[in-house]
Amino acid sequence: MSSECRRWSEGDSILEEYHDHEWCKINHNDQYQFEMLCLEGASTGLSWATILHKRANYRRAFHDFDIDACAAMTDDELISLLSNPGLIRNRSKIFSVRSNAQAVLAIQQEFGSFDSYLWDAADGRQIDGHWKSIEEVPTVSELSMRLSKDMKKRGISYVGPVITYSFLQSIGIINDHLADCECR
């Protein structure tokens, strides 16, 4: 399978798998959404490929992104991860997993689930641009700007409008597969 939509992932089996089976696919699981929030945050200033290639290490280090377990991580646990070569060893990014988990727990309390919070922001519907070329696909939207601002207010880190847009793609709120992509 080859298409313009898949161009960014071709030749890398991990990226191809992500493009074909996860990217822009609707997922309502809070734990998966939290994982993608953390991985997208870790990708700030880096390539998504770098993060996906370290994904298994992140899962091991952060209790498979169990939100309660991440929220309860101690400073000592987080500091020990700074020497883990399988992670991006940026103190702020590593510590953000715990603070983001704590913020997500508060969101779950208020909205019933992280999923409800996110989908409420999108009026409960997937946003599908039906783009014809990669050049048409935006990197930011009104929703990503609005949600970025709200998540920051709630204490979530590494959620600028561009990262938030990528996050929304990763959990399927935004579907930016091109109109002719077989993976829609």
Side-chain angles (χ1 to χ4, degrees):
M1 168 191 345
S2 182
S3 76
E4 185 185 6
C5 184
R6 202 169 189 247
R7 185 175 31 181
W8 60 268
S9 66
E10 284 184 335
D12 183 319
S13 62
I14 290 173
L15 288 178
E16 288 173 354
E17 180 72 17
Y18 177 73
H19 170 273
D20 295 354
H21 302 289
E22 289 183 76
W23 188 62
C24 301
K25 305 290 187 202
I26 293 173
N27 190 303
H28 290 289
N29 181 282
D30 278 21
Q31 186 169 331
Y32 177 82
Q33 292 168 343
F34 176 67
E35 175 182 0
M36 298 316 293
L37 177 75
C38 294
L39 294 177
E40 290 287 355
S43 78
T44 302
L46 303 168
S47 76
W48 185 234
T50 298
I51 301 307
L52 279 186
H53 282 273
K54 294 178 178 284
R55 188 179 193 179
N57 299 318
Y58 273 88
R59 285 177 172 166
R60 279 189 295 276
F62 293 107
H63 311 285
D64 287 320
F65 293 98
D66 178 275
I67 300 165
D68 290 312
C70 288
M73 290 181 79
T74 66
D75 284 353
D76 287 342
E77 282 180 278
L78 295 170
I79 289 167
S80 74
L81 295 178
L82 293 172
S83 62
N84 184 333
L87 305 176
I88 303 303
R89 293 177 284 182
N90 174 298
R91 182 182 176 92
S92 178
K93 288 180 180 182
I94 286 175
F95 274 74
S96 76
V97 173
R98 178 179 63 190
S99 60
N100 287 352
Q102 292 166 347
V104 168
L105 287 175
I107 288 169
Q108 288 175 323
Q109 282 287 97
E110 182 178 345
F111 290 86
S113 68
F114 191 37
D115 182 68
S116 291
Y117 165 75
L118 295 167
W119 283 90
D120 284 355
D123 296 326
R125 62 176 182 77
Q126 186 180 53
I127 299 161
D128 191 335
H130 295 283
W131 311 113
K132 302 236 185 310
S133 73
I134 287 291
E135 292 72 32
E136 292 178 278
V137 177
T139 58
V140 68
S141 68
E142 181 278 325
L143 175 60
S144 76
M145 289 186 286
R146 184 170 34 87
L147 197 55
S148 166
K149 187 176 180 180
D150 191 69
M151 286 194 292
K152 285 178 184 177
K153 273 197 260 180
R154 294 174 182 278
I156 297 177
S157 303
Y158 293 101
V159 286
V162 174
I163 287 295
T164 299
Y165 190 87
S166 294
F167 168 61
L168 294 171
Q169 290 172 317
S170 76
I171 62 171
I173 288 178
I174 293 176
N175 182 357
D176 278 342
H177 280 285
L178 297 183
D180 66 352
C181 183
E182 295 175 24
C183 297
R184 292 187 114 308

CSV table of all heavy atoms in Angstrom, one decimal, residues 103-113 116-117 120 150 154:
chain,number,residue,atom,x,y,z
A,103,ALA,N,-3.6,15.9,36.8
A,103,ALA,CA,-4.6,16.7,36.1
A,103,ALA,C,-5.7,15.9,35.5
A,103,ALA,O,-6.9,16.3,35.5
A,103,ALA,CB,-3.9,17.7,35.1
A,104,VAL,N,-5.3,14.8,34.8
A,104,VAL,CA,-6.3,14.0,34.2
A,104,VAL,C,-7.3,13.3,35.2
A,104,VAL,O,-8.5,13.2,35.0
A,104,VAL,CB,-5.6,12.9,33.3
A,104,VAL,CG1,-6.6,11.8,32.8
A,104,VAL,CG2,-5.0,13.6,32.1
A,105,LEU,N,-6.7,13.0,36.4
A,105,LEU,CA,-7.6,12.4,37.4
A,105,LEU,C,-8.6,13.5,37.9
A,105,LEU,O,-9.8,13.1,38.1
A,105,LEU,CB,-6.8,12.0,38.7
A,105,LEU,CG,-6.0,10.7,38.5
A,105,LEU,CD1,-5.1,10.5,39.7
A,105,LEU,CD2,-6.8,9.5,38.2
A,106,ALA,N,-8.2,14.7,38.0
A,106,ALA,CA,-9.2,15.8,38.3
A,106,ALA,C,-10.2,16.0,37.2
A,106,ALA,O,-11.4,16.2,37.5
A,106,ALA,CB,-8.4,17.1,38.5
A,107,ILE,N,-9.8,15.9,35.9
A,107,ILE,CA,-10.7,15.9,34.8
A,107,ILE,C,-11.7,14.8,34.9
A,107,ILE,O,-12.9,15.0,34.6
A,107,ILE,CB,-10.0,16.0,33.5
A,107,ILE,CG1,-9.3,17.3,33.3
A,107,ILE,CG2,-10.9,15.6,32.3
A,107,ILE,CD1,-8.3,17.4,32.1
A,108,GLN,N,-11.2,13.6,35.2
A,108,GLN,CA,-12.1,12.4,35.3
A,108,GLN,C,-13.2,12.6,36.4
A,108,GLN,O,-14.3,12.3,36.2
A,108,GLN,CB,-11.3,11.1,35.6
A,108,GLN,CG,-10.5,10.7,34.4
A,108,GLN,CD,-9.6,9.5,34.7
A,108,GLN,OE1,-9.1,9.4,35.8
A,108,GLN,NE2,-9.5,8.6,33.8
A,109,GLN,N,-12.7,13.2,37.5
A,109,GLN,CA,-13.7,13.5,38.6
A,109,GLN,C,-14.8,14.5,38.1
A,109,GLN,O,-15.9,14.3,38.4
A,109,GLN,CB,-12.9,14.1,39.8
A,109,GLN,CG,-12.2,13.1,40.6
A,109,GLN,CD,-13.2,12.3,41.4
A,109,GLN,OE1,-13.5,11.2,41.1
A,109,GLN,NE2,-13.6,12.9,42.6
A,110,GLU,N,-14.4,15.5,37.4
A,110,GLU,CA,-15.3,16.5,36.9
A,110,GLU,C,-16.2,16.1,35.8
A,110,GLU,O,-17.4,16.4,35.8
A,110,GLU,CB,-14.5,17.8,36.5
A,110,GLU,CG,-15.4,18.9,36.1
A,110,GLU,CD,-14.7,20.2,35.7
A,110,GLU,OE1,-13.5,20.3,36.0
A,110,GLU,OE2,-15.3,21.1,35.1
A,111,PHE,N,-15.7,15.3,34.8
A,111,PHE,CA,-16.4,15.0,33.6
A,111,PHE,C,-16.8,13.5,33.5
A,111,PHE,O,-17.5,13.1,32.6
A,111,PHE,CB,-15.6,15.3,32.4
A,111,PHE,CG,-15.4,16.8,32.1
A,111,PHE,CD1,-14.4,17.5,32.7
A,111,PHE,CD2,-16.3,17.5,31.3
A,111,PHE,CE1,-14.2,18.9,32.5
A,111,PHE,CE2,-16.1,18.9,31.1
A,111,PHE,CZ,-15.1,19.5,31.7
A,112,GLY,N,-16.4,12.7,34.5
A,112,GLY,CA,-16.7,11.3,34.4
A,112,GLY,C,-15.6,10.5,33.7
A,112,GLY,O,-15.4,9.3,34.1
A,113,SER,N,-14.9,11.1,32.8
A,113,SER,CA,-13.8,10.4,32.1
A,113,SER,C,-13.0,11.5,31.3
A,113,SER,O,-13.6,12.5,31.0
A,113,SER,CB,-14.3,9.3,31.1
A,113,SER,OG,-15.0,9.9,30.0
A,116,SER,N,-14.7,11.8,27.9
A,116,SER,CA,-15.9,12.8,27.9
A,116,SER,C,-15.4,14.2,27.8
A,116,SER,O,-16.0,15.0,27.0
A,116,SER,CB,-16.8,12.6,29.1
A,116,SER,OG,-17.4,11.4,29.2
A,117,TYR,N,-14.4,14.6,28.5
A,117,TYR,CA,-13.9,15.9,28.5
A,117,TYR,C,-13.4,16.2,27.1
A,117,TYR,O,-13.8,17.3,26.5
A,117,TYR,CB,-12.7,16.0,29.5
A,117,TYR,CG,-11.8,17.2,29.3
A,117,TYR,CD1,-12.3,18.5,29.6
A,117,TYR,CD2,-10.6,17.1,28.7
A,117,TYR,CE1,-11.4,19.6,29.5
A,117,TYR,CE2,-9.7,18.2,28.5
A,117,TYR,CZ,-10.2,19.4,28.9
A,117,TYR,OH,-9.4,20.5,28.7
A,120,ASP,N,-16.4,16.1,24.5
A,120,ASP,CA,-17.3,17.3,24.7
A,120,ASP,C,-16.7,18.5,24.0
A,120,ASP,O,-17.4,19.3,23.4
A,120,ASP,CB,-17.5,17.6,26.2
A,120,ASP,CG,-18.4,16.6,26.9
A,120,ASP,OD1,-19.0,15.7,26.2
A,120,ASP,OD2,-18.5,16.7,28.1
A,150,ASP,N,-7.4,25.4,27.6
A,150,ASP,CA,-8.1,24.8,28.7
A,150,ASP,C,-7.3,23.8,29.4
A,150,ASP,O,-7.2,23.8,30.7
A,150,ASP,CB,-9.4,24.2,28.2
A,150,ASP,CG,-10.3,23.9,29.4
A,150,ASP,OD1,-10.8,24.8,30.1
A,150,ASP,OD2,-10.5,22.7,29.7
A,154,ARG,N,-5.8,23.7,33.4
A,154,ARG,CA,-6.1,22.5,34.2
A,154,ARG,C,-4.8,21.9,34.7
A,154,ARG,O,-4.8,20.9,35.4
A,154,ARG,CB,-7.0,21.5,33.5
A,154,ARG,CG,-8.4,22.0,33.3
A,154,ARG,CD,-9.2,21.1,32.5
A,154,ARG,NE,-10.5,21.6,32.2
A,154,ARG,CZ,-11.5,21.6,33.0
A,154,ARG,NH1,-11.4,21.0,34.2
A,154,ARG,NH2,-12.7,22.1,32.7
